[in-house]
Amino acid sequence: MVDLSVSLSGLTLDNPIIPASGCFSYGREFADLFDINILGSFSFKGTTKEPRLGNPTPRIAETQSGMLNAVGLQNPGIDMVVKNQLAYMDRYFHKKVIANISGFSIEEYIYCTEKINNIEQVGIIEVKISCPNVYGGGIEFGTDAKSAAEVTRAVKAVSKKPVYIKLSPNVTDITEIAKACEDAGADGLSLINTLLGMRIDIKKRKPLLANKTGGLSGPAVFPIALRMVYQVYEVVKIPIMGMGGVSSAADVIEMMMAGASAVQIGAATLKNPYICKEIIEQLPIEAEKLKINSLKDIIGVAHI
Ligand SMILES: Cc1cc2nc3c(=O)[nH]c(=O)nc-3n(C[C@H](O)[C@H](O)[C@H](O)COP(=O)(O)O)c2cc1C
């Protein structure tokens, strides 16, 4: 029997499959479709200090082999998430979850981390650093190594949980940001977030998204995500959660061979809500075909 278990900063997961943030809400709707306890874990919707309505619509556009989204971090705010979602999550999910937090200032990241610290069911804090720093001239935290390190240091100083920094792919050299986060104390990294893209409605002669631009995800980005996971694995020692366009068991194995210790699945979940279940069922079959006894053995094997 193939051993599917993997480990992230002392947390053992039954398998490496984790629905990605923003594509699985807080899990409740999916729990009506299948027993979500088969998952390794899941990363819940990115949460900010204040409630956010997100961007005006239209904020989703289809593309060939992918999708654009400009949801704009719609969420009820960390206090409501703690009160209305996390307080009841253990009724339908009995494993540790990943808390995805966002912020527009260092203080906001610290606030959210302190709120999450006391939630027993949270195993890992995943820090999305793709937001503009409103007090730092509007530059995204995630596109500047110094700012990325600053967020990492601030969150690590208050966090009681392992901290994974979620990297933006919209940078010239992702390894520089990854290294800066590791040096600042990150316990792990998640990559990639969406790639900045755009579409135009040629009949209206206007951008399709009200926000004009949006984040591209889905199968189209898989080779880019894989390349970035591969490059980052070469320069850091901390574990990586790989994501971006993963939609099959073979993709999961490929992502792990590039260096991912666990694999998140986003857009594919929106297209087929059962995809994570199907991949978990398919993984041992695919692994056996490739003579893999334990998934832990293949992490980073593609590196010479
Ligand atoms: C509709 C939508 C909402 C998302 N919301 C978040 C979010 O709140 N926080 C975050 O870190 N990533 C968010 N993401 C990014 C995904 O978690 C993931 O990093 C990205 O989509 C790449 O994976 P995929 O190609 O499998 O979708 C969102 C993606 C989509 C499609």
Side-chain angles (χ1 to χ4, degrees):
M1 215 173 79
V2 182
D3 178 7
L4 300 183
S5 70
V6 293
S7 151
L8 292 173
S9 308
L11 190 70
T12 301
L13 309 185
D14 293 337
N15 61 66
I17 305 305
I18 301 171
S21 178
C23 304
F24 207 70
S25 186
Y26 302 92
R28 203 182 285 177
E29 295 82 356
F30 289 84
D32 288 339
L33 301 179
F34 65 96
D35 179 8
I36 63 170
N37 290 288
I38 61 165
L39 298 168
S41 179
F42 72 85
S43 176
F44 65 68
K45 175 66 193 166
T47 306
T48 48
K49 181 179 177 188
E50 307 295 341
R52 287 175 55 86
L53 288 172
N55 290 324
T57 56
R59 52 192 196 180
I60 298 278
E62 289 197 29
T63 70
Q64 262 187 25
S65 291
M67 62 175 283
L68 285 172
N69 97 83
V71 171
L73 268 175
Q74 180 178 1
N75 80 94
I78 191 80
D79 293 314
M80 292 308 274
V81 168
V82 168
K83 194 167 157 233
N84 293 341
Q85 304 290 346
L86 297 180
Y88 306 106
M89 204 176 266
D90 64 354
R91 291 186 188 170
Y92 57 89
F93 192 61
H94 313 304
K95 295 177 173 177
K96 299 280 187 192
V97 288
I98 298 171
N100 184 287
I101 60 162
S102 263
F104 296 85
S105 69
I106 297 284
E107 290 67 35
E108 194 174 346
Y109 282 107
I110 292 174
Y111 183 91
C112 292
T113 305
E114 285 175 334
K115 289 281 170 179
I116 294 292
N117 267 342
N118 306 320
I119 314 290
E120 176 64 28
Q121 207 181 343
V122 172
I124 287 174
I125 299 185
E126 183 177 63
V127 184
K128 171 184 157 150
I129 55 168
S130 327
C131 294
N133 177 359
V134 289
Y135 303 112
I139 297 174
E140 273 185 28
F141 287 104
T143 57
D144 173 57
K146 242 177 84 188
S147 307
E150 199 187 344
V151 179
T152 308
R153 232 176 275 115
V155 172
K156 270 299 287 176
V158 292
S159 181
K160 295 183 190 157
K161 320 256 184 198
V163 174
Y164 279 55
I165 306 294
K166 182 156 175 186
L167 304 182
S168 164
N170 302 307
V171 293
T172 311
D173 179 6
I174 198 162
T175 63
E176 186 198 357
I177 317 274
K179 196 80 191 74
C181 294
E182 181 182 49
D183 291 346
D187 297 288
L189 299 169
S190 294
L191 62 139
I192 58 174
N193 212 315
T194 53
L195 283 141
L196 199 59
M198 177 172 190
R199 295 215 60 191
I200 288 170
D201 182 329
I202 56 171
K203 288 198 190 108
K204 293 186 184 153
R205 304 177 180 206
K206 293 265 177 324
L208 249 165
L209 296 170
N211 191 53
K212 295 192 179 116
T213 61
L216 179 67
S217 61
V221 309
F222 180 70
I224 301 171
L226 190 85
R227 182 263 294 175
M228 289 190 166
V229 167
Y230 188 92
Q231 286 180 321
V232 168
Y233 183 84
E234 297 254 308
V235 299
V236 301
K237 293 191 174 62
I238 50 180
I240 297 168
M241 283 194 260
M243 76 201 81
V246 174
S247 56
S248 68
D251 290 348
V252 170
I253 290 172
E254 200 172 333
M255 197 54 110
M256 293 186 77
M257 288 182 172
S261 292
V263 178
Q264 295 194 11
I265 296 163
T269 309
L270 301 178
K271 198 168 159 201
N272 170 9
Y274 297 98
I275 191 77
C276 289
K277 178 178 185 285
E278 290 170 11
I279 289 177
I280 291 167
E281 286 163 2
Q282 193 58 32
L283 257 179
I285 300 164
E286 204 68 38
E288 251 170 42
K289 271 198 254 165
L290 296 164
K291 302 194 176 18
I292 297 166
N293 297 321
S294 163
L295 287 185
K296 285 195 271 300
D297 296 343
I298 63 162
I299 299 168
V301 290
H303 295 256
I304 308 146

